[in-house]
Amino acid sequence: MKTITTAHTPQTVLDLDLMPPSRSPWSETWRLLRKNRMAFSGLVIFAIFFIIAVAGMLLTSGRKPVLDPAQVRLQEKLRPPMSVPIPETVVSGTAPILGRYLLGTDDLGRDVFARMLQGAWVSLTVGFVAVGISVLIGIVLGGLAGYFGQRAIRVGHILSWSLVVAAPILALAAKPLAALLAAAGALAGWAFYAWRRRRRGEPTPVLLRWLSWTAIGVDDLVMRAVDIMLCFPSFFLILTVVALLPPSLYTIMIVIGLTSWMGTTRLVRAEFLSLREQDFVAAARALGLSDLHIIFRHIMPNALAPVLVSATLGIASAMLTEAGLSFLGFGVPPPHATWGNILSDGKDFIFDAPWLTFAPGIVILIVLLAFNLFGEGLRDILNPKLRERN
Amino acid sequence: MASSTDIVLKVEDLRVQFHGDGPVSRAVDGVDFEIRNGETVCIVGESGCGKTVTALAVMGLLPQPPARIAGGRILFGGESLLEMPSSGLRALRGKRMAMVFQEPMTSLNPVFTIGDQISEAILVHEAVTTADARRRTIQLLEDVGITDPGKRIDDYPHQLSGGQRQRAMIAMALACGPELMIADEPTTALDVTVQAQILQLLKRLQQHSRMAIQYITHDLGVVATIADRVYVMYAGMIFEQGTTGHIFNNPRHPYTMALLDSLPTREKRGQRLYSIPGSVPHPAYKPSGCPFHPRCPHRRPSCVDAFPEMCDYGEGHLARCPILYGMERDSA
C-alpha cells in the first residue's frame, strides 16, 4: 500500500529524435504495397488504364473529337494494325490523327484504337459507378444489420412507417382524402410514441399491446433480403432487367450495382458483429455520440479493409459483366463503342481481321488481371495474418 | 455533513437484471450510494459483484436487452436519468459525466489519432471551431502529463504506451469539464509504477476542478491511496460504507474484514496468506438470507433465512451485518 503513495516521480526526458518515425495506417499500407510486386504492378497497370480512360474520354468526345470513333471510312475497312491510310481513298479530313491505324479498322472502316479508347472510359465508369452503388448499399445495410442486429422491428414501426411512406405516394396519385388519412395515422403513431416515451416503465394498455409485438429483427430482415437476392442467378436477372428497361449506359451501371451489393453487406455485417463489442465503441458511447455517428464514423473505418478488397475485385467483375452484356447485345447501345461490343462485332471477322477480337480481348484480360492482382495483394496487406513474414 | 445540493449522483435502490435463457440474473440487487462534489468514492468488491454493471447503468450504457433496469432511481444533479429520453442522456454523457474504461489498449479507436478522438469529444458537445478544439486538446494532453503534446496529438493509439493511452483516455473524459468521472478499474491493466502516476494524476486533476470521481476497483491498495469514502459491494449489494478510515481501521462487516485480511502486510511476512473460502455467488443463484453466509466465519443459523439490514454505526459508517452489530451493542 505504501509503495503506491510515493511522491512525484521525476519526468523522464525523452529524446524524440530517437523515436521511430510516426506512420499513419495509410503510409504503412503504401509501404507494404510497394514491397508486394504483383499487387504493385496491378496498381501501376490500373493507374495507366485510368489515365488512358480519362484521356480517351477527352479525345473521343465533343463535336469534333481528335480521335473520332464513329468516323466511317468504307474504303478503308478491315485494315490491319499499324497500317497507313491510302491517301487516294480517304476522304480529306477523316484520316486518323496519328497518320496510322494503330489497332487497324473494323468492317465499317472505323478506327479500332479510337473505339477502344471510348470503350475504356465506359468500362471505367461502369466499374466504378456500379461498385460505388453496391458498396454504398452494402455499407449502409451491413452496418445497420450488424450494429442494430438485436433490435426488433415491431408491428407499430411497420405500421407507422408504411403510413409515412403511403401519405406522399397517395398525394402524388391525386387521392387527397386517402393521403390525409394516412398522414393523420402517421401523426397519431408519432404522438403515441412520444406519449410512451414520456411514460417509460409504465405498462402499455392491453388494447395497444399488439403494436409492440416483434415483427422481425433488423438483422433478420437485412440478411434474409441478402439471401433472397443471392438466389437469383444475377447475370440472368440483369439480362431480364436490361431487356425491360430502355438501353443506356446508366441503366447498365445501376442494374449491375443493384444486383451485386450482397457480398459487401455480409462482409460489413460480419465486421460490425465483432467491432461493436469493442471497448472503443463503448467509449464512444460514453462520450455521448449518436448511434449513426458511431456506426459511420467510428466503426466503419475499421470495417473498410475487407470492403476495399471486395470492391477492387468487384470493379473487375462489373467490367466483365458489362462486356458480357454488350457482347450479347444487351449492353450500351451502338454506335457507342464498348469493349464488349467491339468484341461482338469483331467475332464475325475473326479469321479475316483477328485484331478486332484480340484487341478488346487482350485489354480486358490485362485490366481484369491487374485489378484481381491488386485486390488480392491488398487483401494480404490489410490482413496482418496473411502478411508474409520476412 | 454536506448539504443535499452538493450531491452530484444519488443512486437509490438500483436493481439491474439480465434476462437470458434460464433464471434471471440479479446482477445489481438494490444498491444505494451517493457522490458529492469534489469527492472520490471507491466502489470495491470482488470480480462479478456488480461494480461495473452499476457504473454502466449510471452512464446509461447497459445493453437493453439483455439487461433490464428492474427498479430504483438514478439522480444526477437532481435529474432522474432513468426517465430521461435517450437524446437527453446523450447530451449529458461526455459533457457532464464521463467514463474511463479498464483497458486503455482497446478503448481508443485504432484508426484515428488521439487528437482526433479527444477533440471530437469537445466538438460533439460544444460549438467551437476545429482549431479551438485542437488547441484545447493540446492543453488537455499537457494537463494529463503527456510530454510534447504538440507532437503526440497526431499519434495513433498504437504508437503510445499503455500509460500514455490511459492518460489520453483521461484527457478525453476531461474534455468538457465533467462534474462526475466514473473510472472503471483504470489502472488494472497498467504496471505498478504507471498505476501510481495515474492515481497521482487523478488526485491532482481533482484539486483543480470540483470534479467528483467514482472509482471502481478491486485493489484495496488503490482505495487507500485515493478514496475519500468507500462502498464495499458484494453480490450486487452494498455491504459496508464509510470513510476510508472507517473501512480500513474499523471494518464492521465480516466481508470487509476478510478482504483486509487477504492483503499482504509486513507483519504477515512468511505466513500463508489468508483467502476467503468459496467464490462470489452466481447472480442467478444467490444464497437465501445473507448472500455472504456460506463464506462467513461469523455465520449464525439465522443468517440462512434473515435478510440482513444496514446497521448504522454513526458518522456515515454503515454495515450490513446485524450479528456483529448486536455483539458490538451488547459489549458496549
Side-chain angles (χ1 to χ4, degrees):
Chain A
M1 252 180 282
K2 279 275 150 27
T3 49
I4 49 175
T5 53
T6 45
H8 185 73
T9 27
Q11 283 288 341
T12 327
V13 182
L14 283 176
D15 188 351
L16 285 161
D17 295 335
L18 290 178
M19 303 283 275
S22 166
R23 276 209 202 99
S24 73
W26 292 113
S27 68
E28 182 70 14
T29 306
W30 176 242
R31 193 181 65 83
L32 286 165
L33 188 67
R34 292 268 295 275
K35 275 172 46 181
N36 186 333
R37 212 170 286 159
M38 294 292 252
F40 193 67
S41 49
L43 181 67
V44 168
I45 294 174
F46 166 63
I48 294 170
F49 162 66
F50 188 86
I51 294 165
I52 288 177
V54 172
M57 188 268 290
L58 294 174
L59 292 177
T60 58
S61 61
R63 208 152 40 87
K64 204 171 178 324
V66 184
L67 291 157
D68 191 351
Q71 180 65 55
V72 176
R73 317 170 184 83
L74 286 174
Q75 296 88 341
E76 295 271 84
K77 71 178 184 181
L78 299 182
R79 302 289 309 273
M82 300 308 288
S83 57
V84 182
I86 303 159
E88 297 89 70
T89 56
V90 171
V91 184
S92 67
T94 65
I97 202 85
L98 297 169
R100 276 170 193 277
Y101 301 112
L102 283 182
L103 294 173
T105 60
D106 66 3
D107 57 320
L108 294 175
R110 292 177 297 192
D111 185 359
V112 176
F113 180 66
R115 287 170 62 74
M116 288 296 295
L117 279 184
Q118 193 179 31
W121 176 250
V122 173
S123 288
L124 185 81
T125 46
V126 167
F128 273 82
V129 174
V131 168
I133 292 171
S134 78
V135 164
L136 205 67
I137 298 174
I139 276 180
V140 171
L141 286 184
L144 294 178
Y147 188 80
F148 291 119
Q150 290 154 327
R151 302 259 184 109
I153 299 176
R154 302 186 189 287
V155 175
H157 293 147
I158 298 179
L159 198 69
S160 40
W161 277 109
S162 45
L163 285 171
V164 167
V165 174
I169 292 177
L170 288 169
L172 282 176
K175 292 206 169 58
L177 194 67
L180 220 60
L181 267 176
L187 214 63
W190 177 79
F192 174 71
Y193 271 106
W195 175 69
R196 288 293 306 150
R197 195 174 289 251
R198 255 186 289 119
R199 285 174 179 60
R200 287 211 300 193
E202 284 177 31
T204 321
V206 181
L207 278 175
L208 293 172
R209 212 163 275 176
W210 59 274
L211 280 173
S212 51
W213 285 346
T214 303
I216 190 171
V218 177
D219 191 44
D220 274 339
L221 183 73
V222 175
M223 292 333 279
R224 292 306 81 74
V226 166
D227 291 344
I228 291 169
M229 284 299 290
L230 280 173
C231 285
F232 295 112
S234 59
F235 194 78
F236 294 97
L237 181 69
I238 295 171
L239 274 182
T240 318
V241 174
V242 168
L244 295 174
L245 292 174
S248 88
L249 189 53
Y250 302 101
T251 319
I252 301 284
M253 290 176 191
I254 293 168
V255 168
I256 294 178
L258 288 182
T259 51
S260 59
W261 50 270
M262 293 81 73
T264 315
T265 308
R266 283 186 164 175
L267 278 177
V268 173
R269 169 183 174 267
E271 288 289 313
F272 264 65
L273 286 183
S274 71
L275 286 170
R276 72 162 183 216
E277 306 294 338
Q278 298 269 325
D279 283 348
F280 72 80
V281 176
R285 298 216 296 142
L287 280 183
L289 306 183
S290 65
D291 284 334
L292 287 183
H293 192 110
I294 292 174
I295 293 178
F296 292 110
R297 218 179 116 61
H298 276 259
I299 308 185
M300 200 57 82
N302 286 286
L304 277 187
V307 175
L308 203 61
V309 173
S310 90
T312 315
L313 301 176
I315 290 174
S317 95
M319 284 163 62
L320 198 62
T321 307
E322 182 275 325
L325 283 173
S326 295
F327 182 80
L328 293 175
F330 287 97
V332 182
H336 205 106
T338 77
W339 294 348
N341 65 25
I342 297 171
L343 197 66
S344 165
D345 293 346
K347 73 179 189 302
D348 300 334
F349 307 96
I350 189 159
F351 295 113
D352 304 322
W355 58 89
L356 287 183
T357 35
F358 277 80
I362 289 172
V363 168
I364 290 172
L365 176 77
I366 291 173
V367 171
L368 291 200
L369 196 62
F371 265 99
N372 283 329
L373 284 177
F374 177 57
E376 306 241 328
L378 207 56
R379 186 178 59 202
D380 295 353
I381 289 162
L382 295 177
N383 186 344
K385 283 178 198 145
L386 293 177
R387 238 178 244 169
E388 257 177 64
R389 306 260 168 237
N390 43 15
Chain B
M1 209 61 198
S3 73
S4 63
T5 50
D6 271 354
I7 293 174
V8 183
L9 179 72
K10 190 173 173 64
V11 172
E12 293 171 356
D13 194 32
L14 180 70
R15 288 165 195 277
V16 181
Q17 301 177 343
F18 284 87
H19 294 251
D21 304 333
V24 174
S25 289
R26 287 169 295 147
V28 176
D29 211 5
V31 159
D32 297 82
F33 68 90
E34 57 186 43
I35 300 172
R36 304 190 196 101
N37 266 331
E39 187 182 43
T40 303
V41 170
C42 272
I43 312 264
V44 203
E46 282 169 278
S47 303
C49 68
K51 309 183 297 276
T52 300
V53 173
T54 309
L56 290 178
V58 170
M59 290 294 287
L61 291 177
L62 277 178
Q64 298 186 42
R68 199 169 76 86
I69 294 187
R73 295 209 300 165
I74 300 172
L75 298 170
F76 179 77
E79 291 171 274
S80 173
L81 296 188
L82 294 180
E83 286 157 30
M84 203 178 262
S86 55
S87 56
L89 208 53
R90 217 165 38 229
L92 220 65
R93 281 205 291 264
K95 178 151 180 65
R96 293 179 58 198
M97 55 184 191
M99 188 154 176
V100 177
F101 289 85
Q102 182 173 355
E103 278 288 342
M105 302 292 164
T106 55
S107 304
L108 288 162
N109 194 333
V111 299
F112 295 117
T113 63
I114 54 165
D116 279 345
Q117 297 184 55
I118 298 170
S119 44
E120 183 176 36
I122 303 171
L123 290 167
V124 163
H125 292 289
E126 289 172 34
V128 292
T129 63
T130 333
D132 279 339
R134 191 181 162 86
R135 220 166 296 134
R136 268 172 64 181
T137 304
I138 293 178
Q139 182 59 47
L140 280 165
L141 287 175
E142 198 171 344
D143 289 346
V144 297
I146 285 182
T147 44
D148 203 1
K151 266 190 190 147
R152 284 290 171 198
I153 186 172
D154 292 320
D155 273 357
Y156 287 87
H158 71 91
Q159 294 167 307
L160 303 178
S161 70
Q164 283 172 320
R165 283 185 226 186
Q166 197 58 291
R167 285 172 196 266
M169 283 301 293
I170 292 172
M172 207 191 285
L174 290 174
C176 292
E179 294 152 50
L180 172 69
M181 179 160 100
I182 300 179
D184 185 4
E185 308 202 27
T187 57
T188 310
L190 306 174
D191 57 50
V192 185
T193 47
V194 181
Q195 180 174 336
Q197 290 172 13
I198 297 283
L199 292 179
Q200 245 170 44
L201 169 68
L202 288 177
K203 270 183 149 172
R204 186 163 57 77
L205 291 169
Q206 205 177 20
Q207 280 160 10
H208 288 293
S209 60
R210 291 263 289 148
M211 180 174 71
I213 298 179
Q214 180 188 344
Y215 197 101
I216 294 167
T217 182
H218 55 243
D219 187 340
L220 287 170
V222 171
V223 177
T225 316
I226 63 160
D228 295 319
R229 285 191 307 121
V230 182
Y231 287 87
V232 180
M233 244 185 122
Y234 184 79
M237 276 179 272
I238 301 290
F239 265 32
E240 182 161 1
Q241 67 187 69
T243 63
T244 314
H246 289 151
I247 300 291
F248 279 88
N249 304 328
N250 241 336
R252 296 295 190 181
H253 194 284
Y255 179 59
T256 319
M257 294 173 190
L259 280 182
L260 290 170
D261 281 343
S262 319
L263 281 179
T265 58
R266 217 160 274 167
E267 296 81 64
K268 284 190 265 181
R269 211 183 159 85
Q271 296 170 28
R272 213 183 149 79
L273 199 58
Y274 175 77
S275 75
I276 312 176
S279 58
V280 180
H282 188 280
Y285 301 94
K286 285 186 196 171
S288 61
C290 173
F292 188 59
H293 83 255
R295 307 170 76 186
C296 183
H298 302 277
R299 177 174 60 230
R300 301 289 150 82
S302 65
C303 294
V304 181
D305 304 313
F307 180 77
E309 294 301 323
M310 272 296 200
C311 309
D312 196 345
Y313 288 89
E315 295 172 4
H317 188 187
L318 284 82
R320 203 181 275 283
C321 185
I323 308 294
L324 290 193
Y325 188 64
M327 282 160 59
E328 179 82 10
R329 233 181 358 195
D330 293 344
S331 64

